[in-house]
Amino acid sequence: SDWLVTLSSTHFPYLHRIMKRSEYSKLIAINNPLTFDEISTPEILEKKKKVILVCARMSEYHKRISIILKAWMAIQKRKEAGGWTLKVLGVGPDLQRYKKFVSINHVPNIQFEGQQSAEPYYKEAKILLLASSAEGWGLTITEGLQRGVVPVVMNSCSVFGEIIQNGYNGYLTPDKNKKVFENRVLQLMREPFILRQMQLKALESAKKFSLDSTMDKWEQIIQFSKN
């Protein structure tokens, strides 16, 4: 092969460990492009509701949805949470387990939406939650950025830092630290000015991952190979 392409340069140290090669000059990174055809304009922010979104496969091993549900249960005890709803999109082997947890613990203001087209939910949501144990890229994060949804993400793998600038267009919280995770969500609920500024920066930062930008990277390595 001429090249070995991975989604992020943050994967390189891991690949070095498992490949055990003498040199890695063929190893390069090209990120996934944005999912939707365009990035929303700031006008979309005026139509948003007090909705927090989870968009994931309902698999505890990979997505750790139980952490989000426990955090939401704690958040609901705070006055800042008034009027906010958590919407959970997706299906998977642990969906019934999550519904049972919510029912037994009487967790309010949460809706399991099942398998749906995600884009309408990104358009109405203000905050996106992610607590995955690991991701190759984190497509839901860039989808959220395109629609002005501020991500609050447990920093379980280094690739998230390539997408989220902590405190600028979203929050990266220490992995498995539910308290910090909760506090970042509560801060965004409590401080609409900060939330709005981060929404605007989310829209702006999405441009970094445009289809044109990704295609340019592919074209460069193809042209280099021809030469």
Side-chain angles (χ1 to χ4, degrees):
S1 62
D2 293 305
W3 303 102
L4 175 60
V5 182
T6 185
L7 290 169
S8 169
S9 59
T10 65
H11 297 161
F12 290 178
Y14 170 74
L15 290 170
H16 289 181
R17 289 197 303 272
I18 64 171
M19 294 171 67
K20 298 179 180 178
R21 296 178 61 87
S22 59
E23 56 84 23
Y24 298 90
S25 59
K26 293 183 178 182
L27 183 60
I28 63 170
I30 301 179
N31 58 271
N32 278 331
L34 297 176
T35 303
F36 309 125
D37 290 339
E38 80 291 329
I39 298 169
S40 295
T41 62
E43 284 71 26
I44 194 175
L45 304 181
E46 304 303 327
K47 302 176 182 178
K48 287 186 175 289
K49 304 173 183 178
K50 286 187 172 182
V51 171
I52 297 179
L53 183 63
V54 174
C55 185
R57 185 172 68 260
M58 297 294 106
S59 167
E60 183 63 19
Y61 179 76
H62 296 104
K63 304 299 182 179
R64 302 191 302 190
I65 305 298
S66 65
I67 295 177
I68 293 175
L69 297 180
K70 291 173 184 177
W72 183 251
M73 184 166 61
I75 286 168
Q76 285 297 294
K77 298 175 183 178
R78 300 285 294 271
K79 63 180 181 179
E80 296 98 314
W84 286 84
T85 301
L86 178 68
K87 294 190 177 183
V88 181
L89 268 66
V91 294
D94 293 309
L95 178 57
Q96 294 307 314
R97 167 186 171 182
Y98 299 142
K99 289 183 175 180
K100 183 177 180 180
F101 174 86
V102 168
S103 176
I104 290 174
N105 292 282
H106 306 288
V107 185
N109 302 318
I110 180 170
Q111 298 174 15
F112 289 96
E113 301 289 329
Q115 188 169 350
Q116 304 286 344
S117 172
E119 188 170 11
Y121 292 90
Y122 285 119
K123 287 181 177 179
E124 71 171 0
K126 294 185 177 182
I127 302 170
L128 174 74
L129 304 183
L130 188 70
S132 300
S133 56
E135 294 281 352
W137 176 244
L139 204 57
T140 57
I141 303 174
T142 54
E143 288 174 347
L145 296 181
Q146 275 192 268
R147 296 293 176 256
V149 189
V150 176
V152 179
V153 176
M154 284 197 170
N155 197 16
S156 59
C157 51
S158 56
V159 70
F160 295 148
E162 188 168 332
I163 306 171
I164 300 171
Q165 296 171 258
N166 189 37
Y168 178 80
N169 63 344
Y171 283 123
L172 292 170
T173 68
D175 190 29
K176 300 179 183 178
N177 190 321
K178 187 168 69 69
K179 190 64 177 176
V180 176
F181 189 75
E182 293 166 13
N183 286 339
R184 286 307 191 189
V185 176
L186 286 165
Q187 179 190 17
L188 293 174
M189 289 176 163
R190 184 172 57 246
E191 302 187 45
F193 176 78
I194 290 177
L195 176 59
R196 175 55 61 91
Q197 292 304 304
M198 294 182 79
Q199 287 175 311
L200 291 168
K201 291 166 183 174
L203 292 170
E204 180 65 26
S205 64
K207 297 175 183 177
K208 177 181 177 182
F209 309 107
S210 69
L211 179 59
D212 285 342
S213 174
T214 303
M215 287 173 61
D216 286 345
K217 294 174 185 177
W218 281 105
E219 288 177 354
Q220 286 172 15
I221 67 166
I222 291 170
Q223 290 300 321
F224 187 88
S225 299
K226 288 180 178 179
N227 297 330

